[in-house]
């Protein structure tokens, strides 16, 4: 258990370093925040990337094709905007959690960081739709080994279809998505 905790802490630290490096330098080879020009161009990139993902063997089930296809046109009601305009609504929301609304006029942006491995696109797409526009940054770390240090193949290699789909705007038009790899060369843990 101690080793697993160390691995998890290391991966979390790598994710935080990745985000902090981006915030300080604003540079990343894997980041897809290119200058797309008009919003239609970015929407077109999202649609073409999702269409390419739908052709992939991972999207063979009807339910997965449905949820991935819905990413192309998904715009949730009440996007998580930057400016707070409904003071009464904010006051009630804060009170429902036992807090007092302090008059803040802009929203705090949320960071999401996690390990990623053989996660189903069902889960990834559902999460992206539910949190659309909420996160400032999504930072994911993929390892070439499982938590038990059993070797596994990387799914999210630089410029792969999986990375392009994750960075295509599925989490929101202004959400930065970073995926980093953690390479472990140790031997598997004896069970």
């Amino acid at each position: 258990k101690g080793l697993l905790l160390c691995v998890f802490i290391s991966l979390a630290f790598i994710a935080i370093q990745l985000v902090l490096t981006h915030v300080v330098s604003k540079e990343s080879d894997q980041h897809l925040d290119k200058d797309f020009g008009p919003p239609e161009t970015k929407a077109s990139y999202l649609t073409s990337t999702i269409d390419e993902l739908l052709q992939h063997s991972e999207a063979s089930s009807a339910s997965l094709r449905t949820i991935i296809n819905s990413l192309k046109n998904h715009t949730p009601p009440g996007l998580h905007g930057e400016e707070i305009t409904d003071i009464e609504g904010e006051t009630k929301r804060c009170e429902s959690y036992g807090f007092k609304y302090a008059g803040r006029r802009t929203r705090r942006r949320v960071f999401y960081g996690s390990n990623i491995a053989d996660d189903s696109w069902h889960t990834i797409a559902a999460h992206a739709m539910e949190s659309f526009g909420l996160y400032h940054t999504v930072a994911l770390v993929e390892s070439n080994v499982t938590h038990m240090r059993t070797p596994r193949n990387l799914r999210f290699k630089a410029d792969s279809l999986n990375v392009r789909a994750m960075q295509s705007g599925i989490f929101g038009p202004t959400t930065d998505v970073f995926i980093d790899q953690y390479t472990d060369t140790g031997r598997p843990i004896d069970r």
Side-chain angles (χ1 to χ4, degrees):
K1 287 185 178 182
L3 179 62
L4 290 176
L5 180 60
C6 288
V7 168
F8 180 76
I9 290 170
S10 297
L11 292 175
F13 182 71
I14 290 169
I16 291 168
Q17 280 184 314
L18 180 65
V19 170
L20 291 177
T21 301
H22 169 68
V23 169
V24 172
S25 69
K26 291 288 186 183
E27 294 177 5
S28 174
D29 293 337
Q30 291 185 3
H31 180 56
L32 187 66
D33 192 22
K34 299 175 184 171
D35 182 15
F36 284 98
E40 304 82 37
T41 309
K42 188 163 187 173
S44 172
Y45 180 82
L46 169 65
T47 300
S48 65
T49 304
I50 296 301
D51 286 341
E52 187 178 350
L53 186 62
L54 286 167
Q55 301 304 316
H56 198 267
S57 61
E58 285 187 43
S60 58
S61 72
S63 62
L64 185 54
R65 283 194 308 274
T66 300
I67 195 167
I68 289 176
N69 200 33
S70 67
L71 285 171
K72 292 191 290 189
N73 303 312
H74 178 69
T75 304
L79 283 176
H80 311 285
E82 297 295 324
E83 191 173 322
I84 296 173
T85 57
D86 182 8
I87 303 301
E88 184 178 328
E90 286 299 304
T91 302
K92 288 180 182 177
R93 188 175 68 80
C94 289
E95 287 172 356
S96 73
Y97 292 105
F99 295 101
K100 182 180 177 191
Y101 177 61
R104 184 182 184 93
R105 293 296 190 171
T106 57
R107 297 203 183 281
R108 295 177 192 259
R109 296 302 305 269
V110 179
F111 160 80
Y112 171 67
S114 180
N115 298 331
I116 192 163
D118 297 322
D119 303 68
S120 163
W121 271 103
H122 282 92
T123 307
I124 294 169
H127 183 177
M129 289 171 60
E130 288 176 359
S131 63
F132 189 85
L134 176 65
Y135 301 128
H136 175 274
T137 302
V138 172
L140 304 167
V141 178
E142 180 183 30
S143 179
N144 66 332
V145 295
T146 66
H147 289 286
M148 294 297 290
R149 294 176 79 184
T150 304
R152 60 173 294 279
N153 293 324
L154 295 173
R155 283 179 60 203
F156 295 90
K157 294 180 181 176
D159 203 38
S160 68
L161 175 58
N162 285 328
V163 170
R164 290 194 320 270
M166 293 289 279
Q167 295 178 332
S168 67
I170 63 172
F171 284 96
T174 60
T175 300
D176 297 326
V177 177
F178 298 94
I179 301 174
D180 200 11
Q181 276 76 40
Y182 171 79
T183 303
D184 187 327
T185 57
R187 64 185 202 359
I189 296 172
D190 294 329
R191 296 180 187 174

